[in-house]
Amino acid sequence: MHMKICKTVEQMRLASRTAHRAGKRVGFVPTMGALHEGHLSLVRAAKARSDVVAVSIFVNPTQFGPKEDLAKYPRPFERDCELLENEGVDLLFAPSAEEMYPKGAVTWVEVEGLSQKLCGRSRLGHFRGVTTVVSKLFHIIEPDLAFFGQKDAAQAAIIRRMVHDLNFPIEIVVCPIVREPDGLAMSSRNAYLSPQEHKSALVLHRTLTEIQSLFAHGERNSARLIEAGKKVLAQEPGVRLDYLGIVDPDCLEPITDLQDQALVAVAAFVGSTRLIDNLVLRAI
Ligand code: AMP
C-alpha cells in the first residue's frame, strides 16, 4: 500500500479517524525527520503492535532555543519519505510550522519540575516545546499507542508523566537506544560531526560504560561513579561536558545511594554539536 502524506491537520485527522472507524489500532511515531535506524526501530515496533502506522516529521520550532540549530537542522524530506515507504508506513503527517502554530497561539503544556531536569536545565523551554507539540500531535492523530526512544530518556519520562496527568488514552512504548557499530548513539545531529569529532564523540558511550562497569563491580556511591565518569570524559579535549547525572528514571531526581534502577545520563558538546546518551545501571 502507498503511504499517504498529510500536510494539514484536517487531512491527518480525517485519515486517522477513518482508520479508527474501520476498527484499526493506530500506532504513532513522532520524529523531526533526518531519519536513521533509531527512528526506523520505532517504526518497526509500531508496525508489530498496530494495524495502521502513522509517523510525523516536524522540526518543532518551540523546542529550540534562540541560539540553537533550528535553521540548520537537516531536512532530507524525499529520502525520509522513501525510508518510511519501504518500512510500510501508512500515514505521514508533515505539517508546516504555520499549520501547527497559527498566529496567536498562546497555550502551552508543561510538566512542572521534570521539565527543568537534565536537558531542561541547559535548554530552557525545550521540554515545554516538546510536551506542547506532542499534546497537539496526540490530539490530531488520536493514536492508541505512541513510540519513543530511550535515547531521549528524560523526554520519555516527561511524556509518560504528561500522559498520566492529563489522561491521554494512549499507551506509551519506549524502545531501546540504537547505536552505530562503534557505540555512538544514533542521532540526526551526528551528521554535523566531522570524522575527527565522530571519534571524539565515542567518549560519551565510554563514560557510560565505565560507570556501568564500576557499578557491576559493586560501587554504589553516585558521587564516586560520576567522578570516575568525568575523568573518562576529560580525556577528550574536544569534548565539553554539559551534565553527567545519576537519576531516578521516572522523576529524574538525583540518586545518591544506588539500590535498584538508576539512569545515568550524559550531555556534552563535541565541537559545537550537543549530543546526549544514557544507560540504565544494572548489577550484572
Ligand atoms: P527526533 O527525530 O530526534 O526527535 O527523535 C524522534 C524519536 O526517535 C524520539 O522518540 C527519539 O527518542 C527516537 N530516537 C532518536 N534516536 C534514537 C536512537 N538512536 N535509538 C532509539 N530511538 C531514537
Side-chain angles (χ1 to χ4, degrees), residues 30-32 36 38-39 42 148-149 151-152 155 176-178 186:
T31 83
M32 300 207 298
H36 50 66
H39 297 114
L42 303 185
F148 291 84
K151 158 85 188 332
D152 299 85
Q155 169 174 283
I177 302 179
V178 177
M186 289 198 184

Side-chain angles (χ1 to χ4, degrees), residues 29-39 41-42 58 63 73 147-153 155 175-179 184-189:
V29 181
T31 83
M32 300 207 298
L35 302 176
H36 50 66
E37 281 296 316
H39 297 114
S41 74
L42 303 185
F58 181 59
Q63 71 188 68
Y73 198 86
F147 297 79
F148 291 84
Q150 174 66 15
K151 158 85 188 332
D152 299 85
Q155 169 174 283
C175 302
I177 302 179
V178 177
R179 299 179 179 281
L184 183 66
M186 289 198 184
S187 162
S188 305
R189 290 191 168 97

Side-chain angles (χ1 to χ4, degrees), residues 54-116:
V55 174
S56 64
I57 294 183
F58 181 59
V59 184
N60 174 35
T62 64
Q63 71 188 68
F64 285 77
K67 293 193 182 120
E68 292 182 355
D69 56 342
L70 174 63
K72 76 163 182 176
Y73 198 86
R75 291 164 169 86
F77 187 68
E78 302 282 305
R79 182 175 176 274
D80 285 348
C81 285
E82 232 172 81
L83 289 171
L84 295 176
E85 184 98 57
N86 289 342
E87 294 295 329
V89 168
D90 305 283
L91 303 170
L92 172 61
F93 184 42
S96 65
E98 296 72 35
E99 178 70 12
M100 281 301 271
Y101 296 104
K103 268 205 170 56
V106 287
T107 306
W108 297 96
V109 176
E110 178 153 19
V111 176
E112 290 184 357
L114 266 72
S115 289
Q116 275 75 46

Side-chain angles (χ1 to χ4, degrees), residues 2-269:
H2 210 61
M3 181 172 73
K4 182 177 170 58
I5 302 179
C6 304
K7 297 260 184 185
T8 68
V9 170
E10 205 175 297
Q11 282 169 351
M12 184 62 233
R13 183 164 270 150
L14 182 67
S16 65
R17 290 222 165 140
T18 305
H20 273 127
R21 254 183 233 125
K24 313 263 193 211
R25 265 160 80 82
V26 176
F28 172 46
V29 181
T31 83
M32 300 207 298
L35 302 176
H36 50 66
E37 281 296 316
H39 297 114
L40 299 183
S41 74
L42 303 185
V43 170
R44 286 169 201 145
K47 282 255 358 145
R49 293 205 46 202
S50 341
D51 306 309
V52 165
V53 174
V55 174
S56 64
I57 294 183
F58 181 59
V59 184
N60 174 35
T62 64
Q63 71 188 68
F64 285 77
K67 293 193 182 120
E68 292 182 355
D69 56 342
L70 174 63
K72 76 163 182 176
Y73 198 86
R75 291 164 169 86
F77 187 68
E78 302 282 305
R79 182 175 176 274
D80 285 348
C81 285
E82 232 172 81
L83 289 171
L84 295 176
E85 184 98 57
N86 289 342
E87 294 295 329
V89 168
D90 305 283
L91 303 170
L92 172 61
F93 184 42
S96 65
E98 296 72 35
E99 178 70 12
M100 281 301 271
Y101 296 104
K103 268 205 170 56
V106 287
T107 306
W108 297 96
V109 176
E110 178 153 19
V111 176
E112 290 184 357
L114 266 72
S115 289
Q116 275 75 46
K117 304 272 171 19
L118 302 180
C119 293
R121 267 178 67 174
S122 30
R123 303 185 71 190
L124 292 179
H126 168 68
F127 285 127
R128 181 179 83 151
V130 170
T131 43
T132 300
V133 82
V134 171
S135 298
K136 287 166 70 72
L137 292 166
F138 282 178
H139 284 306
I140 294 163
I141 294 167
E142 299 176 315
D144 299 282
L145 307 124
F147 297 79
F148 291 84
Q150 174 66 15
K151 158 85 188 332
D152 299 85
Q155 169 174 283
I158 290 168
I159 298 287
R160 277 200 306 260
R161 184 82 243 168
M162 175 185 87
V163 162
H164 179 84
D165 289 354
L166 296 184
N167 309 95
F168 279 99
I170 301 172
E171 183 185 338
I172 301 301
V173 182
V174 180
C175 302
I177 302 179
V178 177
R179 299 179 179 281
E180 301 282 357
D182 59 16
L184 183 66
M186 289 198 184
S187 162
S188 305
R189 290 191 168 97
N190 292 351
Y192 300 148
L193 303 173
S194 69
Q196 181 49 51
E197 286 173 331
H198 183 119
K199 265 196 206 140
S200 305
L202 300 179
V203 78
L204 271 77
H205 189 229
R206 279 208 306 279
T207 300
L208 297 173
T209 49
E210 169 71 6
I211 292 176
Q212 165 63 64
S213 125
L214 293 172
F215 181 83
H217 285 94
E219 180 61 83
R220 291 293 181 272
N221 178 289
S222 276
R224 279 202 290 271
L225 288 169
I226 291 172
E227 264 330 291
K230 282 185 176 166
K231 250 190 211 149
V232 175
L233 200 109
Q235 290 163 2
E236 276 301 336
V239 176
R240 180 166 55 87
L241 183 68
D242 179 0
Y243 65 75
L244 174 61
I246 300 184
V247 302
D248 179 290
D250 295 316
C251 67
L252 308 179
E253 292 288 349
I255 306 180
T256 43
D257 285 310
L258 298 166
Q259 267 146 30
D260 13 288
Q261 280 220 345
L263 173 75
V264 191
V266 64
F269 287 90

